[in-house]
Amino acid sequence: MSDHKVYPVSAEWAASAWADEAKYNEMYAESVNNPDKFWGEQARATIDWIKPFHQVKNTSFEPGNVSIKWFEDGTLNVAANCLDRHLATRGDQTAIIWEGDDPSSDEHISYRDLYERVGKFANALKAQGVKKGDVATLYMPMIPEAAVAMLACARIGAVHSIVFGGFSPDALGVRVEESGSSIIITSDEGRRGGRRVPLKKNVDAAIAGMDNPASVKSVVVVKCTGGDVAWDTDRDHWYHELVAGQSVDCPAEEMGAEDPLFILYTSGSTGKPKGLEHTTGGYIVYAAMTHKYVFDYKDGDVYWCTADVGWVTGHSYIVYGPLANGGTTVMFEGVPTYPDASRFGRVIEKHKVNQFYTAPTAIRALMQKGDDVLGDSDLSSLKLLGSVGEPINPEAWNWYNDIMGKGECPVVDTWWQTETGGIMIVPLPGATAAKPGSASRPFFGVQPALVDNEGNLIEGSGDGNLVILDGWPAIARSCWGDPARYEETYFSTFKGMYFTGDGARRDDDGYYWITGRVDDVINVSGHRMGTAEVESSLVAHAAVAEAAVVGYPHAIKGQGIYVYVTLQAGVEATDELRKALVGHVRTDIGPIASPDLIQWAPGLPKTRSGKIMRRILRKIAANEHDQLGDTSTLADPAVVDDLVANRMNR
Ligand code: ATP
Ligand code: MG
């Protein structure tokens, strides 16, 4: 790849950050050599326990005996850790800055106010018959009540299962059924980019489509837009009516460290979604600690993660991590392009955001609009930038660093998964020199490794399947109701190791470069290639806005390289350009990576969280578009028809 630039840690960052390189090395060594001592101390320092734990780590990745327990004899409550314990010192401090879809609407919610709202809603849930261990589905827009509902569940020991508000009624219905949830919390409508999303209507349709609609006993509806909704008087309740008259005092349930906190279905890039179960103690310790070290969060900072609470990023890094740390977290209802593409800049300026955390897809969308896309917004409050969700191609990394960060903010590329609960591989801002495109080094307690297809460990630099050798506190404990699937999916491919499903390369400095999902790896004439590398090269070409690469059956090479390219606005799709792109990849990576077929794609099939669904692109390239599988989580199903119609013939 063309970009090998290294961005060293500045002296200023090394001196001021929670961890510099020496501290990182020392803490990391302790975390893997002496995990009981390390995590015991961290857990006591980070979290308030009701009953102290005596046992720290008790994990086994052995086939047939996968068992993961942390702090198992300790008890605690996550909501009390996020709220109650801060009241004495920071009751009036802003916990959540809510920024509405409409730029003129925002709200500052103090810790005391949030505590009271959570207490009232927790009591309202109890009055609805929700008990410890029950599952509550949340299908909500990005409004404060979403965070309130999460914390209210945690307060009474109910298990929340958030389904992203952009999902269809079918996708919602399946998740409600699979989780065994008898209550759904939603709103009349949501707002996104000036439009309204009919959430209550979708809930009604989801329930109607279920095998047993009567299993949903209660639907709680937040009045958000005031739009018209159908009403079932036996089942539906207005949120504001339920909380009216409830006391703010609701005792926090004493939870075992291994009691479930939430279920979350993965974003569905690869197939049938899995309901990952996260538990209480290990999760909150890890979420809080990663939030502190990765974003170098300090008292008084204003931190903004642009994710939706429907994704794990929203769980760990909008709500639980920041609030456990007593931080101020921005919750954004809107989209980056509304009212126009300068919105991110405007919000950063308005709330004087210090740490900003978003996804490569958002960065590329802005980048496409030119360097002045953020208008004249004052970005001088920014101290650090983060990226998550996909490999960030060096082109986008550079733009993020130069244009948004003005070359002065460390960029932290965070690799992790719904399954991992928190950030796993990342350059800590005061400790690790950044290389654009590399997630770099493991966080404390994380032992990544590469193995070949037979499961043999690869030493030194090389390419392989990314595995994790031992447990860390926030790893998911199970697939909800299906522990066998959990063991099968993550622990059976390579015995005794957690398999991430991703491929990676490790360079001479021990840095990890995620090459994409292993299922997406292409094998051209015996050479294995990650899709990320080829895509990254294409996006570095001035004409290309976005690219997706898949393999297709090729008589001679085994697999050929099929490329879908979205051009920059105004660029003409010509055969000359096709040739130029092939030549560009050839010189950049090598002849082996030369694309065989390039299809112009006005849009790419993406999940609602912005990830390209290569599974679908593979089917189209192979002319098997009658077997696309589950497309219910696609953001815009119409792009598929266009791609099928314009498939390249060989
Ligand atoms: P499903 O498992 O249902 O296919 P998903 O894997 O997209 O969905 P998530 O858990 O949200 O669901 O995403 C985790 C995946 O996202 C990782 O396995 C990896 O492929 C990718 N990813 C996340 N962050 C990064 C990053 N910083 N660099 C490279 N890849 C990343
Ligand atoms: Mg996954």
Side-chain angles (χ1 to χ4, degrees):
M1 296 218 298
S2 48
D3 204 320
H4 288 295
K5 206 164 163 191
V6 179
Y7 291 77
V9 174
S10 71
E12 203 184 327
W13 267 88
S16 68
W18 287 115
D20 63 6
E21 193 177 0
K23 181 100 192 270
Y24 165 76
N25 288 335
E26 179 199 321
M27 286 176 74
Y28 182 77
E30 174 91 345
S31 74
V32 298
N33 296 333
N34 205 348
D36 282 350
K37 178 160 180 286
F38 179 87
W39 287 112
E41 284 170 9
Q42 292 296 335
R44 278 184 283 268
T46 312
I47 291 304
D48 287 359
W49 299 81
I50 299 172
K51 284 200 195 80
F53 53 85
H54 301 91
Q55 171 114 27
V56 177
K57 175 173 182 284
N58 180 8
T59 65
S60 159
F61 285 181
E62 282 315 306
N65 183 32
V66 172
S67 155
I68 303 157
K69 293 188 177 126
W70 284 85
F71 318 114
E72 60 195 279
D73 59 343
T75 63
L76 72 163
N77 184 281
V78 165
N81 270 283
C82 290
L83 301 169
D84 311 30
R85 66 170 176 158
H86 302 314
L87 293 181
T89 50
R90 47 178 103 236
D92 296 324
Q93 182 200 306
T94 300
I96 296 178
I97 299 177
W98 178 75
E99 168 78 14
D101 187 49
D102 174 346
S104 66
S105 56
D106 58 24
E107 193 182 349
H108 286 242
I109 302 167
S110 69
Y111 271 95
R112 182 166 300 103
D113 189 8
L114 188 59
Y115 166 84
E116 291 178 357
R117 293 195 203 188
V118 168
K120 283 187 164 204
F121 190 53
N123 280 324
L125 285 175
K126 280 185 171 173
Q128 287 296 301
V130 180
K131 301 179 306 297
K132 178 174 177 175
D134 289 350
V135 179
T137 298
L138 275 56
Y139 182 67
M140 299 186 79
M142 285 289 285
I143 53 176
E145 286 82 357
V148 170
M150 291 166 78
L151 292 161
C153 286
R155 189 157 199 96
I156 64 171
V159 181
H160 58 69
S161 168
I162 308 190
V163 178
F164 174 56
F167 276 170
S168 65
D170 282 353
L172 171 62
V174 168
R175 287 161 175 76
V176 171
E177 276 178 322
E178 293 221 344
S179 64
S181 163
S182 61
I183 179 165
I184 303 177
I185 304 161
T186 188
S187 74
D188 48 2
E189 296 174 318
R191 296 187 179 91
R192 263 175 91 77
R195 292 197 306 271
R196 290 181 173 199
V197 188
L199 295 176
K200 171 63 163 68
K201 196 172 156 206
N202 289 350
V203 169
D204 293 341
I207 296 173
M210 284 169 47
D211 289 341
N212 180 13
S215 64
V216 177
K217 302 275 184 280
S218 160
V219 175
V220 179
V221 187
V222 178
K223 190 168 235 155
C224 181
T225 63
D228 278 345
V229 289
W231 206 255
D232 175 335
T233 46
D234 293 332
R235 192 195 65 193
D236 300 342
H237 308 272
W238 286 111
Y239 179 100
H240 59 270
E241 289 177 2
L242 292 185
V243 295
Q246 291 291 352
S247 158
V248 299
D249 295 317
C250 175
E253 190 76 34
E254 181 172 355
M255 302 299 287
E258 285 300 335
D259 285 338
L261 176 65
F262 65 84
I263 312 170
L264 185 61
Y265 289 87
T266 53
S267 69
S269 316
T270 46
K272 187 169 175 261
K274 298 167 281 277
L276 276 320
E277 175 189 340
H278 283 282
T279 58
T280 303
Y283 172 81
I284 195 66
V285 168
Y286 198 80
M289 227 187 129
T290 44
H291 173 257
K292 169 177 161 176
Y293 281 94
V294 171
F295 303 103
D296 200 53
Y297 189 85
K298 302 268 172 58
D299 246 2
D301 284 346
V302 175
Y303 158 92
W304 180 19
C305 164
T306 69
D308 190 283
V309 292
W311 313 126
V312 72
T313 309
H315 285 63
S316 302
Y317 301 114
I318 295 178
V319 178
Y320 289 120
L323 296 180
N325 287 335
T328 298
T329 180
V330 177
M331 187 174 182
F332 178 43
E333 186 185 33
V335 297
T337 48
Y338 178 80
D340 61 50
S342 70
R343 187 69 191 273
F344 275 174
R346 304 284 172 215
V347 178
I348 290 167
E349 170 175 311
K350 178 175 176 189
H351 300 299
K352 304 202 167 35
V353 171
N354 301 120
Q355 293 95 347
F356 178 70
Y357 189 29
T358 196
T361 178
I363 299 167
R364 285 193 297 264
L366 293 184
M367 202 173 135
Q368 214 180 326
K369 300 208 154 44
D371 289 355
D372 54 0
V373 56
L374 298 174
D376 54 3
S377 323
D378 177 3
L379 306 180
S380 60
S381 58
L382 285 176
K383 297 200 282 197
L384 176 143
L385 300 169
S387 169
V388 63
E390 285 179 290
I392 177 165
N393 48 296
E395 195 71 6
W397 196 101
N398 288 331
W399 188 89
Y400 203 27
N401 181 66
D402 300 345
I403 304 300
M404 281 197 75
K406 314 271 187 258
E408 287 173 357
C409 301
V411 175
V412 294
D413 176 5
T414 65
W415 175 86
W416 61 297
Q417 311 179 293
T418 308
E419 295 85 344
T420 70
I423 293 165
M424 299 286 281
I425 303 186
V426 59
L428 291 189
T432 309
K435 301 187 188 185
S438 171
S440 81
R441 295 223 164 101
F443 190 74
F444 307 129
V446 175
Q447 299 183 53
L450 301 178
V451 294
D452 65 20
N453 287 344
E454 280 66 56
N456 303 305
L457 282 171
I458 295 166
E459 305 290 341
S461 58
D463 242 307
N465 301 290
L466 180 63
V467 296
I468 314 289
L469 299 178
D470 199 358
W472 63 99
I475 182 176
R477 304 304 197 249
S478 185
C479 288
W480 191 250
D482 195 353
R485 184 175 182 201
Y486 184 66
E487 191 160 329
E488 163 71 24
T489 309
Y490 304 104
F491 298 94
S492 70
T493 318
F494 303 113
K495 303 283 176 251
M497 305 168 188
Y498 167 82
F499 178 37
T500 64
D502 286 345
R505 179 160 64 81
R506 191 172 47 223
D507 69 17
D508 292 334
D509 298 325
Y511 277 48
Y512 286 85
W513 300 71
I514 310 299
T515 48
R517 289 159 206 280
V518 171
D519 295 346
D520 293 338
V521 164
I522 311 172
N523 195 327
V524 183
S525 312
H527 295 267
R528 285 161 55 79
M529 235 175 301
T531 48
E533 206 154 20
V534 186
E535 287 165 7
S536 195
S537 170
L538 284 159
V539 177
H541 190 282
V544 177
E546 214 163 17
V549 170
V550 297
Y552 71 96
H554 188 287
I556 298 152
K557 304 181 189 178
Q559 277 191 308
I561 299 182
Y562 193 111
V563 178
Y564 298 83
V565 168
T566 307
L567 293 171
Q568 298 279 12
V571 175
E572 211 187 319
T574 61
D575 280 341
E576 283 70 55
L577 182 55
R578 261 207 187 93
K579 287 197 194 99
L581 291 178
V582 173
H584 170 80
V585 177
R586 252 183 114 82
T587 33
D588 197 21
I589 307 180
I592 193 71
S594 302
D596 295 284
L597 294 168
I598 297 182
Q599 174 172 349
W600 306 122
L604 294 169
K606 290 190 183 169
T607 64
R608 298 279 179 161
S609 56
K611 299 182 197 209
I612 298 167
M613 277 213 207
R614 292 184 192 75
R615 167 172 70 83
I616 288 176
L617 295 174
R618 264 199 305 272
K619 290 288 179 196
I620 297 173
N623 204 10
E624 292 171 353
H625 44 82
D626 50 334
Q627 307 163 27
L628 293 183
D630 180 12
T631 54
S632 66
T633 59
L634 270 179
D636 177 10
V639 302
V640 173
D641 301 335
D642 177 278
L643 295 177
V644 169
N646 296 301
R647 191 178 74 87
M648 299 293 292
N649 280 314
R650 306 152 221 157

